[in-house]
């Protein structure tokens, strides 16, 4: 397995949450299908769910229903999303059980190497999210004290992959973050890195990373690894 090194001039690791740190696909699949069946709709096929497990959860659910050719009104979609979040909150009680071990190990190594670590997620923090709130997920897990900042989908008017997500918190130049690398599992994370002007490391959590072909010259700034265990961190000088 080829080793990818994060050099000493990289001061900040910008992490994706769902699918990279948190093994959320199984929760997403089970919760959404339970809601759909309860509301008298068919379960979503695995392939459809994986093809539409990205970025903002509301958009993912809407895309799943669209691909399944399930017609829903805005009120019906809102109810599906509401019920999904209620189940999602119940599913995520033991957070550590749902974390990827290779990701946790890398966060620990980066912490010991003196790197700053920021989670940027389109998952909202809203008070109704409970256990599923990104900040609560970090606070109630082994990531507490290791992750330095969590930027949620409802913290600002911008969402990943917009560079402005980071600018809203750290300033337009991002100088306070120093050298940056984005670590994720989806094409949106590579797009985010490109918008920031930095490199990305994408981990394959399923057969492939879909939609990368939407990005021009992604190979120039993106490394794909089968596991984050193949990523090594060099201490800051």
């Amino acid at each position: 397995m080829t080793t990818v090194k994060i050099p000493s001039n990289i001061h900040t690791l910008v992490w994706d949450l769902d699918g990279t740190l948190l093994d959320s696909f199984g929760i997403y699949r089970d919760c959404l299908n339970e809601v759909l069946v309860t509301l008298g709709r068919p379960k979503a096929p695995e392939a459809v769910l994986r093809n539409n497990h990205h970025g903002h959860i509301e958009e993912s659910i809407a895309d799943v229903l669209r691909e399944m050719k399930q017609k829903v009104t805005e009120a019906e979609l809102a109810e599906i999303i509401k019920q999904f979040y209620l189940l999602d909150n119940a599913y995520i009680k033991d957070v550590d059980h749902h974390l990827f071990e290779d990701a946790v190990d890398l966060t620990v190594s980066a912490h010991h190497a003196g790197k700053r670590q920021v989670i940027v997620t389109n998952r909202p923090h809203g008070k109704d999210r409970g256990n599923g709130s990104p900040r609560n997920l970090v606070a109630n897990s082994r990531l507490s004290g290791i992750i330095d900042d969590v930027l949620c989908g409802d913290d600002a008017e911008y969402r990943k992959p917009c560079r402005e997500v980071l600018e809203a918190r750290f300033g337009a130049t991002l100088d306070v973050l120093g050298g940056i690398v984005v670590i994720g599992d989806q094409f949106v994370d590579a797009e985010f890195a490109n918008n920031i002007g930095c490199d990305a490391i994408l981990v394959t959590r399923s057969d492939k990373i879909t939609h990368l072909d939407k990005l021009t010259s992604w190979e120039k700034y993106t490394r794909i690894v089968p596991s984050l265990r193949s990523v090594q961190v060099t201490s800051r000088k």
Side-chain angles (χ1 to χ4, degrees):
M1 185 163 53
T2 303
T3 299
V4 174
K5 293 186 177 181
I6 297 177
S8 59
N9 66 322
I10 296 297
H11 291 186
T12 302
L13 276 58
V14 174
W15 285 91
D16 170 56
L17 177 62
D18 291 286
T20 305
L21 283 161
L22 182 70
D23 186 4
S24 56
F25 178 77
I27 300 171
Y28 164 71
R29 176 196 60 215
D30 294 346
C31 288
L32 182 53
N33 276 333
E34 186 172 336
V35 170
L36 292 177
V37 170
T38 300
L39 297 178
R41 296 182 179 274
K43 287 185 177 181
E46 183 97 357
V48 173
L49 287 164
R50 287 199 178 276
N51 194 46
N52 297 286
H53 184 223
H54 53 78
H56 209 269
I57 196 67
E58 287 88 346
E59 291 178 3
S60 295
I61 292 174
D63 289 345
V64 165
L65 295 170
R66 188 177 301 112
E67 188 167 333
M68 291 173 64
K69 303 188 185 308
Q70 287 285 301
K71 294 182 179 180
V72 294
T73 64
E74 289 186 10
E76 288 171 330
L77 177 59
E79 182 62 22
I80 290 171
I81 292 169
K82 175 184 175 181
Q83 294 302 321
F84 173 89
Y85 279 141
L86 289 173
L87 274 179
D88 180 65
N89 182 51
Y91 267 68
I92 306 177
K93 290 184 177 179
D94 181 7
V95 183
D96 285 332
H97 178 71
H98 298 290
L99 295 176
F100 286 109
E101 291 299 327
D102 61 343
V104 173
D105 289 347
L106 183 55
T107 65
V108 172
S109 295
H111 179 68
H112 291 321
K115 308 293 186 184
R116 185 174 194 158
Q117 299 189 79
V118 179
I119 289 176
V120 177
T121 175
N122 288 335
R123 180 189 283 246
H125 172 69
K127 60 182 180 180
D128 59 331
R129 292 309 309 275
N131 296 328
S133 156
R135 292 193 181 91
N136 289 344
L137 286 167
V138 170
N140 298 328
S141 74
R142 288 171 285 170
L143 299 175
S144 178
I146 294 177
I147 298 298
D148 299 290
D149 214 332
V150 182
L151 307 187
C152 304
D154 52 357
D155 282 348
E157 60 182 307
Y158 304 101
R159 291 191 288 126
K160 190 168 61 172
C162 294
R163 173 190 171 95
E164 288 86 353
V165 172
L166 285 176
E167 291 180 350
R169 178 67 61 90
F170 299 111
T173 63
L174 303 182
D175 288 347
V176 68
L177 298 180
I180 302 170
V181 64
V182 171
I183 302 177
D185 72 308
Q186 298 179 31
F187 83 96
V188 70
D189 300 306
E191 185 178 8
F192 188 38
N194 188 42
N195 290 340
I196 295 170
C198 69
D199 289 339
I201 298 172
L202 301 186
V203 57
T204 50
R205 296 300 192 194
S206 56
D207 292 340
K208 64 177 182 177
I209 297 171
T210 59
H211 307 308
L212 266 178
D213 57 328
K214 294 181 178 181
L215 304 178
T216 303
S217 303
W218 62 267
E219 301 95 335
K220 294 181 179 180
Y221 54 87
T222 304
R223 297 291 300 273
I224 298 178
V225 296
S227 167
L228 292 176
R229 297 198 189 283
S230 64
V231 180
Q232 294 183 355
V233 183
T234 305
S235 298
R236 290 176 58 176
K237 295 180 179 180

